[in-house]
Amino acid sequence: MTEIIASLGDIARRYDVLLCDLWGCLHDGIHPFPDAVAALQAFRTAGGRVVLLTNAPRPEAAVRAHLNAMGVPTDCYDVIVSSGDAAQEAMLAGLVGDKVFHIGAKADENFFTTFSDDIVQRKEIARVPLDQAEGVICTGLADDRVETPDMYREVLLGAKARGLKMICANPDIMVDKGENRLYCAGALAALYEEMGGEALYFGKPHAPVYELARRRLAAMDGKLPVDERMLCIGDGIATDVQGGMAEGLDTLFITGGLAGPDIPLENGMPDAAALRAYLARHQQSPTAAIGFLR
């Protein structure tokens, strides 16, 4: 039975580590949420550690710079782990070859140039046209403000005809940026699989990004975190919740994000009947649920 809570403080004492999503939980892509920032600051003040675990297709340094520019205080988290980091490890290991075709925005080009210190470069990777590629790296749409996945059918058919594997650097299907809902790399990967292509995923809900999070936590004090004392927080039922549950971790579902249209809030808390119906439909059972992180 999923417990509906009024604040993170209601259950915080059970945990030493939070794995907290960004979009829809800590910010809306434009502004940070003050209550969420305060909740994470309070958790750290009480001795806990906070990992910002994001499906952003960019390396940790780029995510940090974006948070700084947005005004997210650095004292509300300890470490950042991105889907981009985990996907970079796979690319540099040569998982889809040494010559890759990139699908994504110009802003994502740091995926090929900026690497965290704990990511070892084992291969020299060249970006090439599709007809020369051994694999595909998908970080998202070139312009998610106006494009849809259907606009990429011709490119994806070309990749599928060549039998190319795709590394998807962001399994999210969509995110909310302010009032706008934008498609992500996961939508392109899903379409590619629908066409018969093969996509490989490295963000939530898949294991590699959680393995990297545990490794970075261990690097902080030389010991692995205890799974029973870790809590995953997020608004994605198929990413944050499903991923945390697959890892055997407790989960806190933020219902006011992506699921907001399906789960109305009453006095800031999710409607219990709507929540039960939503969870039954998605066949997920998070440990707890809250309207917004606070």
Side-chain angles (χ1 to χ4, degrees), residues 55-57 83 103-104 108 137-141 144 149 156 166-175 182-192 199 201:
N55 271 355
S83 177
I103 300 175
D108 294 339
I137 304 292
C138 180
T139 58
L141 288 71
D144 58 11
L156 296 177
M166 171 192 289
I167 286 180
C168 175
N170 176 1
D172 285 350
I173 301 296
M174 56 183 61
V175 295
L182 310 177
Y183 285 106
C184 301
L188 294 178
L191 180 57
Y192 192 51
Y201 298 89

Side-chain angles (χ1 to χ4, degrees), residues 43-282:
F43 185 80
R44 292 189 72 241
T45 298
R49 293 184 290 174
V50 175
V51 177
L52 299 184
L53 187 65
T54 172
N55 271 355
R58 292 168 291 281
E60 176 268 344
V63 175
R64 188 182 301 274
H66 183 226
L67 294 177
N68 289 343
M70 200 183 300
V72 175
T74 58
D75 66 352
C76 75
Y77 64 90
D78 294 280
V79 65
I80 298 170
V81 179
S82 74
S83 177
D85 292 333
Q88 282 181 324
E89 285 197 316
M91 177 185 72
L92 295 175
L95 192 62
V96 296
D98 303 342
K99 299 176 181 178
V100 301
F101 176 71
H102 178 219
I103 300 175
K106 192 170 185 63
D108 294 339
E109 292 185 352
N110 52 19
F111 181 91
F112 301 93
T113 59
T114 304
F115 307 102
S116 297
D117 292 340
D118 58 351
I119 294 178
V120 179
Q121 184 158 353
R122 295 169 235 171
K123 290 275 189 180
E124 289 295 329
I125 304 298
R127 291 172 58 193
V128 299
L130 183 58
D131 61 3
Q132 300 173 28
E134 299 170 345
V136 176
I137 304 292
C138 180
T139 58
L141 288 71
D143 189 346
D144 58 11
R145 298 168 300 174
V146 297
E147 291 181 336
T148 67
D150 273 344
M151 296 177 180
Y152 286 79
R153 282 187 177 275
E154 184 176 350
V155 171
L156 296 177
L157 283 171
K160 192 258 181 179
R162 289 177 50 80
L164 304 183
K165 294 181 181 179
M166 171 192 289
I167 286 180
C168 175
N170 176 1
D172 285 350
I173 301 296
M174 56 183 61
V175 295
D176 290 328
K177 185 172 184 179
E179 298 298 320
N180 300 312
R181 188 155 284 191
L182 310 177
Y183 285 106
C184 301
L188 294 178
L191 180 57
Y192 192 51
E193 290 182 315
E194 182 183 308
M195 293 176 171
E198 182 178 357
L200 308 171
Y201 298 89
F202 294 88
K204 299 173 289 185
H206 304 276
V209 76
Y210 294 95
E211 295 170 4
L212 182 56
R214 289 185 176 97
R215 202 168 75 217
R216 288 188 176 168
L217 279 167
M220 292 177 61
D221 56 16
K223 61 182 180 182
L224 283 170
V226 178
D227 283 0
E228 291 76 11
R229 299 284 298 175
M230 297 173 68
L231 176 69
C232 299
I233 303 174
D235 69 326
I237 195 70
T239 50
D240 304 300
V241 174
Q242 183 176 320
M245 292 181 64
E247 291 291 312
L249 306 175
D250 284 0
T251 56
L252 173 58
F253 180 35
I254 308 298
T255 68
L258 291 170
D262 297 308
I263 307 176
L265 300 180
E266 294 183 354
N267 299 318
M269 300 177 70
D271 176 78
L275 175 63
R276 284 195 301 271
Y278 184 89
L279 296 179
R281 192 160 64 247
H282 290 273

Side-chain angles (χ1 to χ4, degrees), residues 34-46:
D35 287 348
V37 169
L40 298 184
Q41 288 172 327
F43 185 80
R44 292 189 72 241
T45 298

